[in-house]
Amino acid sequence: MNLKKAVKYLLPVSVKKWLKYTLYCAQDFVAYITGKSDDRYPPKRLNFVGSSEFKKVGEEFVDYFIRLGGLKPSDTVLDIGSGIGRMAIPLKEYLKDGKYYGFDIDKRGVEWCQQNISKVSPNFHFEYVDIYNKYYNQSGKIQAHEFVFPYADNTFTFIFATSVFTHMMPNQIDQYFSEIRRVLKPGGTCFFTWFSIDKEADANIQNKTSFCDLRYKYNDYCFYSHKNSPEAEIGYTEDWICNALKQIDCHKDLKIHHGSWAQRKEQFSYQDIFISKSL
Ligand SMILES: C[S@@+](CC[C@H](N)C(=O)[O-])C[C@H]1O[C@@H](n2cnc3c(N)ncnc32)[C@H](O)[C@@H]1O
């Protein structure tokens, strides 16, 4: 096991969160006293969306939305699990004639986006929803498997979820998929990231060369890495994901770009990217 993977799995999730927060507070302080703080981005201590470079990952994905997903400046976009604006910040430069709606279960993230993005780009809307998630919102009052998206039928031309279904249990994804079907226009685009387990990924999980462990079995198609905190990292079998997209008629022109997480031969980005269209 390499050092990065050892740190990832040997420390309890709560300790890792605390260590990250302390490190990020120190980095914010250094940026502040050296005059290097950048108001266009959230302070590091508020960053709960992943340790890799915030700005770089946002720009990388907006490029994929446009180049691989065919996103247009006039699209009406839904960002499921909008976090703290990692995608919205670079998107606001592109989506000049379109509309953006994002919702998330982390109040601080949504408030930062409302105050720093919506104020300068009024076509960008963010909504906080108090949904329970053991990893992200332990005091949440709403259950994801009962949540109805706060948007009318056939609203969106492009829906994305980056690193969100990797934190959701199967019955929650079932509900979100049925809502996606309701709010996505015919011919609209889905752009979702996953830890998708095919034969090659499964072999690498078993021989422990995969960066994500996904060693605990929830059911025949859902696996997770942290015994006491399943929502910290969840993977699904590729067959199940493809079939789930088919069930909601969103499997047209499906393209899969496998990421590096499983150390497969193909390594595009980190998580696996699934892009498809609704019928
Ligand atoms: C790794 S972060 C990714 C955030 C954002 N999509 C990005 O790429 O920067 C996972 C996000 O999923 C959100 N989340 C978890 N469960 C959710 C749910 N049921 N509905 C909406 N968002 C959820 C978390 O609050 C968190 O912001």
Side-chain angles (χ1 to χ4, degrees):
M1 194 188 281
N2 67 29
L3 184 65
K4 208 170 162 198
K5 191 168 169 184
V7 171
K8 185 174 171 200
Y9 288 116
L10 294 180
L11 293 176
V13 167
S14 55
V15 174
K16 270 191 305 173
K17 274 190 177 178
W18 181 83
L19 281 176
K20 252 191 210 171
Y21 182 73
T22 311
L23 173 72
Y24 287 166
C25 282
Q27 289 179 339
D28 281 341
F29 180 66
V30 172
Y32 176 72
I33 56 171
T34 55
K36 289 193 177 141
S37 303
D38 186 342
D39 286 353
R40 292 168 304 168
Y41 295 92
K44 276 202 146 195
R45 64 187 178 281
L46 291 187
N47 177 6
F48 56 90
V49 299
S51 36
S52 50
E53 292 155 295
F54 188 88
K55 179 170 184 263
K56 192 165 156 240
V57 173
E59 286 169 357
E60 173 192 337
F61 271 86
V62 169
D63 176 54
Y64 296 157
F65 296 159
I66 299 167
R67 212 161 37 83
L68 308 176
L71 179 73
K72 295 185 194 59
S74 56
D75 271 324
T76 303
V77 174
L78 174 61
D79 179 358
I80 298 172
S82 46
I84 191 155
R86 184 165 60 165
M87 305 300 155
I89 294 168
L91 253 188
K92 71 181 174 8
E93 307 307 325
Y94 181 75
L95 217 58
K96 293 287 185 201
D97 307 320
K99 290 190 192 110
Y100 165 104
Y101 295 80
F103 72 87
D104 201 282
I105 68 173
D106 184 285
K107 205 170 185 193
R108 295 159 311 161
V110 170
E111 284 176 355
W112 189 91
C113 292
Q114 288 168 338
Q115 280 154 23
N116 293 276
I117 300 177
S118 301
K119 272 200 181 144
V120 283
S121 303
N123 56 336
F124 275 58
H125 310 268
F126 296 89
E127 186 146 351
Y128 165 63
V129 282
D130 190 21
I131 292 176
Y132 172 83
N133 178 293
K134 192 174 179 195
Y135 186 68
Y136 284 104
N137 187 15
Q138 290 203 5
S139 61
K141 306 278 183 301
I142 302 168
Q143 295 303 320
H145 68 268
E146 294 171 349
F147 179 60
V148 175
F149 291 1
Y151 316 106
D153 297 1
N154 296 321
T155 300
F156 298 99
T157 52
F158 195 103
I159 299 185
F160 69 87
T162 50
S163 191
V164 176
F165 297 144
T166 48
H167 302 284
M168 289 179 64
M169 304 306 288
N171 63 341
Q172 305 172 343
I173 294 184
D174 288 345
Q175 172 65 10
Y176 274 44
F177 265 38
S178 110
E179 284 298 288
I180 288 164
R181 175 189 217 162
R182 181 178 70 75
V183 300
L184 184 63
K185 284 189 171 166
T189 301
C190 296
F191 185 116
F192 303 142
T193 71
W194 302 88
F195 293 125
S196 166
I197 306 166
D198 61 356
K199 263 193 171 169
E200 194 182 351
D202 187 40
N204 290 349
I205 291 168
Q206 302 310 325
N207 68 28
K208 301 207 183 307
T209 54
S210 161
F211 188 63
C212 296
D213 258 358
L214 299 173
R215 71 171 95 160
Y216 299 105
K217 183 172 176 165
Y218 180 77
N219 64 20
D220 284 347
Y221 55 85
C222 173
F223 299 81
Y224 57 99
S225 300
H226 300 269
K227 195 173 180 199
N228 299 318
S229 185
E231 287 93 337
E233 192 167 85
I234 304 179
Y236 288 87
T237 62
E238 193 147 301
D239 286 348
W240 181 81
I241 299 170
C242 293
N243 195 46
L245 287 167
K246 211 169 187 171
Q247 296 289 317
I248 58 162
D249 291 333
C250 285
H251 60 296
K252 196 173 162 232
D253 301 336
L254 174 64
K255 298 242 165 16
I256 302 172
H257 302 271
H258 285 137
S260 61
W261 71 271
Q263 301 289 298
R264 281 175 288 223
K265 283 192 198 85
E266 183 196 349
Q267 295 195 8
F268 186 90
S269 196
Y270 178 64
Q271 295 188 0
D272 304 310
I273 297 173
F274 284 57
I275 307 168
S276 56
K277 288 200 175 293
S278 67
L279 295 178

